[in-house]
Amino acid sequence: MEAYNKRILITGGAGFIGSHVVRRFLKRYPDYLIINVDKLTYAGNLENLKDIEKAPNYCFEKGDIVDAPVVDEIFTKYQITDVIHLAAESHVDRSIEGPLDFVMTNVVGTVNLLEAAKKSWIDSAHVFHHVSTDEVYGSLGDEGLFNESTPYDPRSPYSASKASSDHFVMAYFHTYDLPIKMSNCSNNYGSHHFPEKLIPLMIHNIQHNKPLPVYGKGDNIRDWLWVEDHASAIDTIFHQGRVGESYNVGGLNEWTNIKLVRFLCQIMDEKLGREKGESEKLITFVTDRAGHDKRYAIDASKLENELNWRPSLKFEEGLVQTVDWYLQNQDWVTKVTSGSYKEYYKKMYDNR
Ligand code: NAD
Ligand code: DAU
């Protein structure tokens, strides 16, 4: 194990963003040992990592970060030198139905990891990179962008749990000198995205001629970034970011939900050989999300100016690539949309 320059614990590596981060680090850094710890909840899927599971510098441990002895054991077993922490309950709608899982994983799980790092690391030659969200800043009006000094104002149980975890991470820096770095990113899209989230849910429903449930009037705004660009930002911040700092990540790419869903319908009409305008007929306006944040928009100039990071892919191209991935990976889609997904969908959308 000592042969590796770093032994990085990546939590939540079987999830959407985590799987992209694990793949990127394995390919770019053969001198690092990557240990992926994931509970494999409904959102975690080892199929996401099939192509790299036999990589010589990769280990998978099924484990729950809420279980402190499990976390401690992993730190000892692999002599963990660094952490990239992505494991979380991540879906706002589920947090409205049941906040406690969010408190446990996102808050208690994060504190368990911080404690294990504090106990194991005797000097500052380590990095604890906490991956967080722009939702901690709350909701914007028509003007302005979130920057790193925007006061925290979380409004959903999900964002409240992430805000709390961010505060614990910063507290461990100030109180115990734990070498932390943090990133707060806007909405991601791309392959392996679980179809409870807007883009993959809409792609799936358009394909199967099911209603497209747009919350409220569809005028809420999200700022979309390709998941690989988020992974490249994490790589950059992990290696070059300043200790004790947070960096906003985003691509100045704001879309109202309705405009985005219409654009997806256009792409899918072409891909599926449907008449122009055919899929748009499926759009159905449904009861709004409780406490629905109006607008998110990220100012990423700190990351761009200090660390020279830039997003690489235009949204319009990335969406076409994403649609292609879903259409070409029907086995993956079928597996994740059977069983408990059906119950979830019924509970959230029937009679909405
Ligand atoms: P996801 O829901 O797709 O994946 C989460 C992963 O964490 C899954 O593999 C799951 O099995 C694992 N996990 C959950 N609870 C766990 C536990 N108790 N112990 C161990 N593993 C556990 O989430 P995602 O969209 O990939 O998000 C990853 C991280 O990035 C989260 O921290 C999220 O808050 C943050 N983030 C997400 C977005 C986005 O647009 N998806 C944007 C900004 C930040
Ligand atoms: O901003 C970053 C956050 O983005 C991450 O921290 C979260 O983990 C991630 O889930 C995402 O949160 P959102 O709530 O913005 O994403 P979601 O895909 O759930 O919803 C995007 C928008 O689409 C939002 O305004 C609600 C709306 N929506 C969503 C679904 C699932 C609909 O109109 N219909 C739907 O069926």
Side-chain angles (χ1 to χ4, degrees):
M1 255 193 314
E2 282 72 20
Y4 291 101
N5 282 333
K6 294 182 193 293
R7 294 173 297 277
I8 306 181
L9 169 59
I10 298 188
T11 68
F16 165 47
I17 302 170
S19 61
H20 288 269
V21 174
V22 166
R23 188 171 296 101
R24 181 182 176 94
F25 271 69
L26 284 176
K27 289 198 172 144
R28 289 173 69 103
Y29 306 109
D31 55 327
Y32 295 173
L33 181 66
I34 301 298
I35 302 100
N36 171 16
V37 174
D38 198 296
K39 184 182 173 184
L40 300 181
T41 66
Y42 76 93
N45 186 349
L46 288 179
E47 299 273 326
N48 295 353
L49 295 164
K50 248 249 105 25
D51 55 321
I52 52 84
E53 68 187 3
K54 295 204 167 62
N57 56 332
Y58 174 67
C59 303
F60 175 73
E61 293 275 352
K62 184 171 181 211
D64 185 344
I65 58 166
V66 175
D67 194 342
V70 164
V71 174
D72 288 345
E73 215 178 291
I74 286 165
F75 264 76
T76 309
K77 177 173 170 189
Y78 294 101
Q79 297 157 45
I80 297 297
T81 58
D82 300 85
V83 174
I84 302 178
H85 175 34
L86 294 118
E89 287 293 339
S90 69
H91 191 36
V92 173
D93 291 329
R94 287 187 196 252
S95 81
I96 295 167
E97 294 301 304
L100 202 58
D101 285 347
F102 288 72
V103 176
M104 295 311 291
T105 289
N106 300 0
V107 185
V108 177
T110 301
V111 175
N112 283 341
L113 288 161
L114 290 164
E115 269 299 295
K118 173 163 80 76
K119 283 187 277 186
S120 307
W121 299 344
I122 47 169
D123 56 32
S124 60
H126 307 276
V127 172
F128 188 110
H129 183 144
H130 178 58
V131 177
S132 193
T133 171
D134 59 359
E135 297 198 14
V136 297
Y137 299 122
S139 182
L140 288 167
D142 293 339
E143 300 292 319
L145 302 171
F146 296 133
N147 63 39
E148 289 80 1
S149 324
T150 305
Y152 274 34
D153 182 23
R155 296 149 55 99
S156 74
Y158 163 70
S159 52
S161 68
K162 290 296 291 188
S164 172
S165 69
D166 291 11
H167 289 318
F168 271 107
V169 169
M170 278 302 176
Y172 271 66
F173 168 67
H174 290 294
T175 313
Y176 307 111
D177 280 333
L178 195 76
I180 70 90
K181 298 181 184 183
M182 192 155 83
S183 49
N184 293 78
C185 188
S186 62
N187 286 61
N188 287 209
Y189 73 94
S191 70
H192 305 90
H193 204 181
F194 192 79
E196 64 188 350
K197 309 279 166 62
L198 180 73
I199 291 179
L201 184 144
M202 292 297 167
I203 294 173
H204 186 248
N205 285 15
I206 296 169
Q207 190 188 357
H208 295 280
N209 266 308
K210 286 172 65 176
L212 308 180
V214 174
Y215 297 167
K217 296 191 187 118
D219 56 359
N220 299 69
I221 293 173
R222 296 293 181 267
D223 180 1
W224 295 93
L225 182 74
W226 188 38
V227 62
E228 293 284 344
D229 282 331
H230 187 188
S232 87
I234 291 170
D235 186 345
T236 304
I237 295 162
F238 175 81
H239 285 102
Q240 298 163 43
R242 281 182 290 142
V243 169
E245 293 284 322
S246 70
Y247 293 85
N248 280 355
V249 187
L252 291 180
N253 178 43
E254 294 180 50
W255 287 65
T256 61
N257 293 335
I258 188 64
K259 186 173 166 213
L260 170 51
V261 172
R262 290 210 168 103
F263 185 48
L264 274 175
C265 288
Q266 252 181 50
I267 299 173
M268 293 287 283
D269 279 346
E270 275 174 36
K271 298 278 173 196
L272 300 172
R274 289 183 186 165
E275 248 175 61
K276 214 168 166 230
E278 185 71 21
S279 300
E280 272 199 24
K281 293 182 193 150
L282 298 167
I283 292 174
T284 313
F285 293 94
V286 300
T287 309
D288 209 351
R289 173 184 279 174
H292 198 172
D293 288 341
K294 186 67 198 276
R295 172 172 168 257
Y296 304 144
I298 277 277
D299 172 358
S301 55
K302 177 176 174 184
L303 176 59
E304 292 179 358
N305 297 338
E306 255 185 43
L307 306 181
N308 206 20
W309 173 88
R310 298 279 179 289
S312 70
L313 188 66
K314 269 194 71 164
F315 188 51
E316 287 79 354
E317 281 168 47
L319 264 190
V320 173
Q321 269 191 31
T322 303
V323 166
D324 283 339
W325 187 85
Y326 279 90
L327 293 178
Q328 286 160 15
N329 287 275
Q330 289 297 301
D331 279 357
W332 186 94
V333 177
T334 306
K335 271 187 200 141
V336 303
T337 53
S338 55
S340 62
Y341 180 80
K342 288 201 163 62
E343 283 149 44
Y344 167 80
Y345 198 89
K346 217 171 147 45
K347 182 170 157 211
M348 302 301 274
Y349 294 97
D350 279 9
N351 311 315
R352 184 166 187 152

